[in-house]
Amino acid sequence: DVKVTQSSRYLVKRTGEKVFLECVQDMDHENMFWYRQDPGLGLRLIYFSYDVKMKEKGDIPEGYSVSREKKERFSLILESASTNQTSMYLCASSPGQAGGNTIYFGEGSWLTVV
Amino acid sequence: AQKVTQAQTEISVVEKEDVTLDCVYETRDTTYYLFWYKQPPSGELVFLIRRNSFDEQNEISGRYSWNFQKSTSSFNFTITASQVVDSAVYFCALISPNTGNQFYFGTGTSLTVIP
């Protein structure tokens, strides 16, 4: 089975703190994604990566950055957390460069910024 | 532009009733893929089904069935004889190779099955 593991399930951070959300997948997938989920807005793509050291902006990249130094690991960074970044963050991965492959999700990280 | 619309925000049914979750999509591509995911209260999105644009056969898996109709750009999901364990948020999604494999999700339908 594909396993996507997010390091923290629940986090509480203060405004202005730097926050790291870590994600690891164990299926040698090329593609990795970070989404944000908010009530009524569904899933919104923050960043994605097709390869090591490669990143592409999604729909809402402002206030976020990412790092992919190894194929299996994709980190989401909030440089200076703000209260409007309180949300659930979902990491996902999918195989290959060809289209239409199924995307697999982690359990999510609930971030509260106070 | 790619877009997925799930007009039903919340649905409540009594256990054993049938329920259909609607999904309407927009794309100009001829090759695309449609998905349904289930998100239980635990948070993880669980893959349910993947369907490509060239396969309009309906599919049945146990109590679940999917009706794909290109003529109406819909990919609806029916749960027969609903159970409390079906309570979750369900997402429909679209991906097209022409858009770099980026997934487009609907806003989700929250289903509550009342015992």
Side-chain angles (χ1 to χ4, degrees), chain A residues 9 31 33 35 37 40-43 45 48 50 58-59 88 90 96-107 110, chain B residues 9 33 35 37 39 41-47 49-50 89 91 95-97 99-108:
Chain A
R9 196 87 166 97
N31 308 317
F33 307 82
Y35 287 89
Q37 184 179 3
L41 298 178
L43 278 71
L45 182 64
F48 59 100
Y50 289 154
D59 300 318
M88 179 175 180
L90 287 158
Q97 298 298 322
N101 292 306
T102 301
I103 186 171
Y104 297 92
F105 287 86
E107 289 188 323
W110 295 89
Chain B
T9 304
Y33 300 83
F35 298 77
Y37 285 84
Q39 185 180 39
S42 60
E44 180 179 355
L45 272 79
V46 178
F47 166 73
I49 189 170
R50 169 182 178 268
V89 180
F91 289 94
I95 187 174
S96 166
T99 57
N101 287 329
Q102 183 171 344
F103 277 77
Y104 294 84
F105 285 88
T107 51

Side-chain angles (χ1 to χ4, degrees), chain B residues 7-74:
Chain B
Q8 302 153 309
T9 304
E10 296 181 357
I11 301 176
S12 291
V13 298
V14 177
E15 198 171 21
K16 297 185 182 178
E17 285 184 349
D18 299 346
V19 58
T20 295
L21 310 182
D22 298 333
C23 173
V24 175
Y25 63 91
E26 296 176 27
T27 180
R28 293 179 182 173
D29 296 324
T30 55
T31 300
Y32 53 90
Y33 300 83
L34 296 164
F35 298 77
W36 276 96
Y37 285 84
K38 174 183 179 180
Q39 185 180 39
S42 60
E44 180 179 355
L45 272 79
V46 178
F47 166 73
L48 296 178
I49 189 170
R50 169 182 178 268
R51 180 54 52 102
N52 74 54
S53 53
F54 300 108
D55 182 3
E56 284 195 74
Q57 277 192 329
N58 291 331
E59 180 151 341
I60 298 174
S61 177
R63 297 183 297 107
Y64 294 171
S65 62
W66 291 269
N67 182 8
F68 177 28
Q69 293 196 341
K70 290 176 74 171
S71 61
T72 56
S73 296
S74 65

Side-chain angles (χ1 to χ4, degrees), chain A residues 68-86:
Chain A
R68 193 167 182 199
E69 296 296 321
K70 294 183 178 181
K71 189 175 184 179
E72 68 271 18
R73 187 179 297 272
F74 193 36
S75 302
L76 180 67
I77 304 157
L78 287 67
E79 295 290 343
S80 178
S82 63
T83 54
N84 63 13
Q85 292 178 310
T86 292

